[in-house]
Structure formats: C-alpha cells, structure tokens
Amino acid sequence: EQAYTFLELPLPPESPLRHVQMHYFDERRGGAKRGGPPQATVAFDLDTTQLGPLWITLQVHGQRCQCTLRAATGEARAALEAQSAELATSLSQAGYANPQITTASWDGDRLRAAAALMARFQGLALRV
C-alpha cells in the first residue's frame, strides 16, 4: 500500500554499474491498488562505466507505456537512440501497446531530478 518506494543497490567495485537507485510511484488509488491495471512511474538513476550517468523514467498506465532515456553525453544519447527500437519491441512483447520511447539530454543533476519527481507530493501531509 506504499505510494512511494525507494531502492539503492549496493554494487561491487568491479561492477559495470557504479550507481543504481530506483524511485517507484504507485499511482493507483484506493481499491484499484488491489488487482486494478498497473499505473506507476519508475525512475532509474544510473551511472555506468560505458554510458555514464543516466536518468530513465518509465510511466505505465494500463497497457500504455512511455519511456524517456536521459543521458549526459551525446555519445550516450546516440547509443540509447540506436537501441530504442529494440526496447520498444521488448515492451510490445511484454503486452504494452505502442510503447513510446524518447531520448533526451540530462545535466546529471540527481538532486534536481529527484526533487522534480517529489513535486507530485506538494501539499501532501506526510506522517513520520
């Protein structure tokens, strides 16, 4: 019943991944959380040895899926763009109708990107 889940993966020093965090937002409400169609946003904050820093968002609403791949360098964006058709095919095979894949520039500012995700909670009273 959590609206927000955060994970950070510990990685061995020799891993091709240097940094992995995941932000998961379940956007279903009330009784729809039990058995309703998936409605969620997932953001992956990654740093890889080959592509550098990446911020990937995946928004799922029922059978619709939109994925935005953000990278800090032009070379990384080109590599992601070259693989976007394969990702779209995989998402289609997983049951998502006409998945939308886009690539974009990213300044690598993790704090700003995470704060933008949290803006959805503005005005929400949180109990600690």
Side-chain angles (χ1 to χ4, degrees):
E1 295 287 332
Q2 298 295 323
Y4 172 70
T5 302
F6 172 81
L7 298 172
E8 182 166 17
L9 300 180
L11 302 166
E14 67 277 1
S15 173
L17 296 170
R18 297 179 188 143
H19 171 91
V20 176
Q21 292 182 341
M22 183 194 76
H23 304 267
Y24 174 82
F25 297 89
D26 188 336
E27 297 170 352
R28 296 175 293 178
R29 302 287 180 236
K33 284 192 177 229
R34 294 188 265 318
Q39 293 186 25
T41 297
V42 183
F44 298 97
D45 175 3
L46 308 172
D47 193 354
T48 72
T49 56
Q50 302 232 341
L51 296 175
L54 305 173
W55 187 271
I56 300 169
T57 55
L58 183 64
Q59 295 177 298
V60 175
H61 294 280
Q63 297 305 310
R64 293 178 300 143
C65 179
Q66 181 176 359
C67 182
T68 304
L69 309 165
R70 293 177 182 86
T73 68
E75 295 83 12
R77 284 189 305 279
L80 293 169
E81 182 70 34
Q83 297 300 312
S84 64
E86 186 177 333
L87 175 58
T89 299
S90 294
L91 289 169
S92 291
Q93 291 171 346
Y96 296 104
N98 193 26
Q100 303 298 308
I101 312 295
T102 57
T103 58
S105 296
W106 184 47
D107 64 5
D109 188 338
R110 289 183 170 102
L111 183 58
R112 184 181 340 189
L117 281 175
M118 298 303 159
R120 69 184 67 215
F121 293 122
Q122 183 176 355
L124 182 65
L126 299 176
R127 285 183 259 165
V128 180

